[in-house]
Each structure stands twice: as structure tokens, then as C-alpha cells.
């Protein structure tokens, strides 16, 4: 469920129209010598905001190309290969920077890998760097045979375009926060192929955490199993895209095919070792605060709860009581509710006399 929070567009609109802060306009007119006030509700703000969002959505659509290339049989074969990649990663058969693990989402870099997010020494767009050559595994042969060559034959991408392939493996409830693929690292278009299940790509969302909440997208783009999505222009450069937790209902994997720029900044070998040491030190310092409990295997098949509604819980308990004729549920709820509002009485501190001993 997306939360209704202000987006960048709304803030932008407000800064563009500061004179519209008062939603109601007051007009004065006289009728027979008596002054009357007439309040008029204006929908100009809402209309202008919606027009701005629609204009933004049209720009995003102009930079998106979607084609359905892979048949269900081809998808099944590719998905078996993705399972092999996951198994190899679990067995530790890949290089250190090939595999990047996160809650409910694992990334596998092939050909080229780069630093991002918490791996950056300096946060912010433009700070991403390619790893030095040889720090990630080469693109597997099956990716060329089953995916890249198929797209070249269909005229979707040019031959020799791809030198970076990333496999993102999502579990139900997994997500990737709003971002723009680094423009100083990758050329356009950004090509992604979806497998295992249908999902959606959202543009212009804003994430909030604890609990996780996502604002309404400017554009909601369904992505089907076996479909190819290409981002360029406005969709790739001027607006963020993300995958929301509520849009990953089943396991989903995506293969992202990109080409790195010839002048993309790259980490040197010595700087990599120092950054790796600092990252290890940072992880060691945070180790005590992190939970090492194993995930509940059944939790992957339950939708992630974004917000807890107390009233909804109460109604659910009441409905169960009515259906089963069990009055204990209502009583237990009232006891829990009373306990949550219970305030202990103020106690006057007692002074205990302490007997001193001589030594």
C-alpha cells in the first residue's frame, strides 16, 4: 500500500506557485448596501498538479521501449541457468565483488561491477566507481547464447553493445530503492529482461523506512515474464525508477544488460584494498547491532506488511468473534487495549536507612 506523502513534484509545484497557499479565495461584493463574503473553492492547485504529473508521465513513456521476446519455454531454460548462478554463489565459487547480498535481494555482477550505496566512501550521485579489471567474473557463456544473441538477432540491441550483465534475484517482498543508473558509468539504453514472474517498475517514487513506505509513482509500468524493457532519454536520466516491495509477490529475477562508458571512473587496485579494509572495519563496528537470526522460510510466501492499523486488527478480531461465537477474543482485546493505556500510579520514593560499618 503506497502512502500519501508529498513528492518532489508536489514540492516543485508549491515553489512554483507560492501565491496559491490559500486554497479558498474570498471575494467581496455589496448587495443593497450590505457587504457579503463569498467563499469559492478553487481546484486550480489540484488541476495544475495533475497536469504536471501527466506531463511528467508522458516524458517518461517517451523514453521506454518494451518488447516481448522470450517464449515460456525459453524463459524456463534461462531460469534454470539463473538457479545455477545462485547455487554457485552460495557455494562461494565466484569472486568477492561478483556477489552482493541484501535482504530479500541478491545481485550478481558479471563483466563489470561498480561501487554504490553503502559501499561508497562519499555518498551521493556521481561517486560510483567501476571496480578494477578482473575483480568480478566474466559474463557466463549462457548469457550470450540464450539472452544477448537472441536480442541482437531480434534487432533489439546492437552487436557488441553489452559488456556488463547483472542478475538481480528478488524474493517476495524484496525491493530496490529509487535510483538513476549512473550516467557517468553506463551508456544508454539500459536493457532489462524479466524472469520467473510478472512485476512492475515504478518511476518518481520516494521511499521512507521504519516501517518501509513508498509514495505514489508518477508512472506504474507492468513488466511481464520474458519481456524486455529499455530505458533511455528522460526515463533513464531525469527521473528515478524503483521496484516496490508490494510489486514482488513471487520470486522474480531480472538480467540487466549495459555498456560502460570508455571514460568511466575506475578504482585502482591499491585504493580498492584500502576501501575494502575500511568497509570491513565498518562492518565489524556495526556487527553488534545487526541481527544474525535466520529468515523464516515461510515468510517469503507472505506479503510484506507496510503499515499496521490497530483499528483494522480490532475489526478482524471482532469478526472472528462473531463467526465463532467466542467472547474471549473481545475480552482479550479489551484487556490488551486497557493494558496499553494503563499508567502506573506515581510512587513516592522511599528512603532506606543504610547502616555504615567501620573498617
Amino acid at each position: 500500500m503506497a502512502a500519501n506523502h508529498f513528492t518532489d513534484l508536489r514540492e516543485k509545484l508549491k515553489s512554483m506557485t507560492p501565491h496559491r497557499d490559500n486554497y479558498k479565495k474570498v471575494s467581496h461584493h455589496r448587495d443593497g448596501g450590505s457587504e457579503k463574503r463569498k467563499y469559492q473553492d478553487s481546484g486550480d492547485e489540484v488541476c495544475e498538479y495533475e497536469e504536471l504529473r501527466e506531463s511528467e508521465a508522458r516524458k517518461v513513456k517517451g523514453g521506454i521501449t518494451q518488447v516481448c521476446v522470450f517464449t515460456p519455454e525459453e524463459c524456463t531454460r534461462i531460469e534454470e541457468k539463473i538457479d545455477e548462478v545462485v547455487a554457485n554463489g552460495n557455494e562461494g565459487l565466484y569472486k568477492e565483488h561478483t556477489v552482493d547480498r541484501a535482504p530479500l535481494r541478491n545481485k550478481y555482477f558479471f563483466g563489470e561491477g561498480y561501487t554504490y550505496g553503502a559501499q561508497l566512501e562519499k555518498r551521493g550521485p556521481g561517486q560510483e566507481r567501476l571496480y578494477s579489471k578482473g575483480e568480478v567474473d566474466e559474463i557466463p557463456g549462457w548469457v550470450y547464447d540464450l539472452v544477448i544473441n537472441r536480442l541482437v538477432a531480434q534487432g533489439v540491441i546492437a552487436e557488441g553493445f553489452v559488456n556488463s550483465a547483472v542478475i538481480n534475484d528478488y524474493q517476495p517482498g524484496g525491493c530496490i530503492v529509487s535510483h538513476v543508473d549512473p550516467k557517468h558509468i553506463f551508456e544508454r539504453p539500459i536493457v532489462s529482461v524479466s524472469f520467473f514472474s510478472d512485476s512492475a517498475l515504478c518511476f518518481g517514487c520516494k521511499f521512507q523506512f521504519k516501517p518501509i513506505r513508498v509514495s505514489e509513482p508518477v508512472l506504474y509500468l507492468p513488466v511481464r515474464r520474458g519481456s524486455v524493457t529499455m530505458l533511455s532519454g528522460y526515463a533513464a536520466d531525469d527521473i528515478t525508477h524503483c521496484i516496490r516491495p508490494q510489486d514482488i509477490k513471487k520470486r522474480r529475477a531480472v538480467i540487466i544488460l549495459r555498456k560502460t562508458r570508455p571514460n568511466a571512473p575506475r578504482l585502482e587496485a591499491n585504493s580498492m584494498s584500502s576501501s575494502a579494509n575500511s568497509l570491513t572495519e565498518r562492518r565489524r563496528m556495526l556487527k553488534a547491532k545487526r541481527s544474525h537470526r535466520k529468515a523464516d522460510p515461510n515468510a517469503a510466501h507472505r506479503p510484506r506488511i507496510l503499515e499496521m492499523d490497530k483499528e483494522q486488527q480490532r475489526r478482524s478480531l471482532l469478526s472472528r468473534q462473531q463467526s465463532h461465537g467466542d467472547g474471549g477474543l473481545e475480552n482479550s482485546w479489551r484487556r490488551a487495549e486497557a493494558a496499553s493505556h494503563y499508567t502506573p500510579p506515581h510512587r513516592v520514593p522511599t528512603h532506606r536507612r543504610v547502616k555504615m560499618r567501620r573498617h
Side-chain angles (χ1 to χ4, degrees):
M1 180 184 299
N4 295 324
H5 293 281
F6 289 106
T7 65
D8 295 339
L9 290 175
R10 191 184 294 268
E11 295 172 0
K12 181 179 180 181
L13 176 62
K14 187 174 180 180
S15 65
M16 292 170 56
T17 57
H19 59 285
R20 295 184 180 272
D21 288 340
N22 295 326
Y23 188 72
K24 291 186 176 181
K25 294 183 178 180
V26 182
S27 62
H28 299 270
H29 64 89
R30 297 181 180 274
D31 184 13
S34 62
E35 185 181 31
K36 296 182 179 180
R37 285 188 176 183
K38 184 179 180 181
Y39 291 87
Q40 296 177 343
D41 290 338
S42 173
D44 292 346
E45 269 192 5
V46 178
C47 292
E48 192 169 350
Y49 173 66
E50 293 299 330
E51 289 176 1
L52 185 61
R53 286 180 66 88
E54 291 177 2
S55 174
E56 189 92 349
R58 286 193 295 270
K59 293 179 182 178
V60 177
K61 289 180 180 178
I64 298 175
T65 302
Q66 276 190 314
V67 291
C68 188
V69 175
F70 299 93
T71 64
E73 293 75 18
E74 291 172 327
C75 288
T76 300
R77 188 178 178 188
I78 294 171
E79 288 161 2
E80 291 174 354
K81 294 296 184 180
I82 294 175
D83 285 336
E84 292 180 7
V85 170
V86 174
N88 292 339
N90 292 336
E91 294 177 7
L93 302 181
Y94 291 129
K95 297 179 179 179
E96 177 184 358
H97 298 295
T98 295
V99 184
D100 179 33
R101 301 186 185 278
L104 302 179
R105 188 216 70 209
N106 290 336
K107 297 175 74 75
Y108 303 88
F109 292 94
F110 297 105
E112 292 283 6
Y114 67 101
T115 60
Y116 68 99
Q119 302 169 354
L120 300 176
E121 292 186 0
K122 294 182 179 180
R123 299 293 184 92
Q127 299 298 324
E128 299 88 353
R129 297 290 185 270
L130 289 173
Y131 287 120
S132 59
K133 286 289 187 179
E135 290 297 325
V136 301
D137 289 82
E138 295 297 326
I139 299 177
W142 67 265
V143 175
Y144 283 106
D145 297 337
L146 303 180
V147 183
I148 297 176
N149 293 343
R150 184 87 159 83
L151 298 181
V152 172
Q154 292 288 326
V156 177
I157 58 176
E159 187 173 1
F161 174 79
V162 177
N163 69 344
S164 171
V166 179
I167 299 176
N168 285 349
D169 185 24
Y170 298 92
Q171 298 301 318
C175 68
I176 187 167
V177 298
S178 298
H179 67 282
V180 172
D181 289 44
K183 293 184 281 187
H184 64 291
I185 297 288
F186 298 108
E187 295 184 358
R188 272 41 177 163
I190 307 298
V191 183
S192 62
V193 192
S194 297
F195 297 101
F196 286 108
S197 66
D198 299 341
S199 183
L201 194 63
C202 291
F203 295 83
C205 291
K206 183 178 180 181
F207 275 66
Q208 293 184 356
F209 300 92
K210 296 181 181 180
I212 186 169
R213 304 179 300 282
V214 189
S215 65
E216 289 288 347
V218 172
L219 179 68
Y220 174 92
L221 180 70
V223 288
R224 309 299 180 189
R225 179 189 181 215
S227 67
V228 181
T229 303
M230 291 176 287
L231 304 182
S232 60
Y234 195 93
D237 298 337
D238 299 302
I239 191 170
T240 60
H241 60 273
C242 70
I243 296 177
R244 304 181 301 176
Q246 57 265 47
D247 295 327
I248 306 290
K249 298 178 175 61
K250 299 179 180 179
R251 182 192 175 189
R252 185 222 179 194
V254 59
I255 300 179
I256 305 173
L257 305 173
R258 294 177 289 202
K259 181 179 179 64
T260 58
R261 297 185 181 277
N263 58 346
R266 189 181 295 274
L267 292 175
E268 300 296 336
N270 54 358
S271 64
M272 273 193 54
S273 60
S274 61
S275 62
N277 292 335
S278 62
L279 181 60
T280 303
E281 179 66 16
R282 189 158 58 246
R283 286 176 176 173
R284 185 189 64 79
M285 294 173 62
L286 296 175
K287 185 175 181 181
K289 297 182 179 180
R290 293 187 177 181
S291 173
H292 295 276
R293 293 180 299 174
K294 293 184 178 180
D296 180 5
N298 296 324
H301 303 285
R302 296 193 294 265
R304 175 178 289 187
I305 299 175
L306 301 183
E307 289 182 300
M308 301 301 295
D309 188 352
K310 184 177 180 180
E311 180 64 20
Q312 185 176 359
Q313 289 183 343
R314 190 183 72 84
R315 291 180 180 178
S316 176
L317 288 170
L318 289 176
S319 64
R320 289 172 57 189
Q321 174 205 357
Q322 293 173 359
S323 61
H324 297 286
D326 185 5
L329 290 174
E330 173 67 13
N331 295 333
S332 63
W333 168 259
R334 293 187 182 277
R335 287 196 300 269
E337 190 176 36
S340 63
H341 295 287
Y342 172 74
T343 303
H346 178 68
R347 294 184 178 181
V348 179
T350 58
H351 300 281
R352 189 176 61 177
R353 183 174 298 177
V354 180
K355 185 178 181 180
M356 303 296 294
R357 293 184 178 181
R358 293 184 179 180
H359 294 279

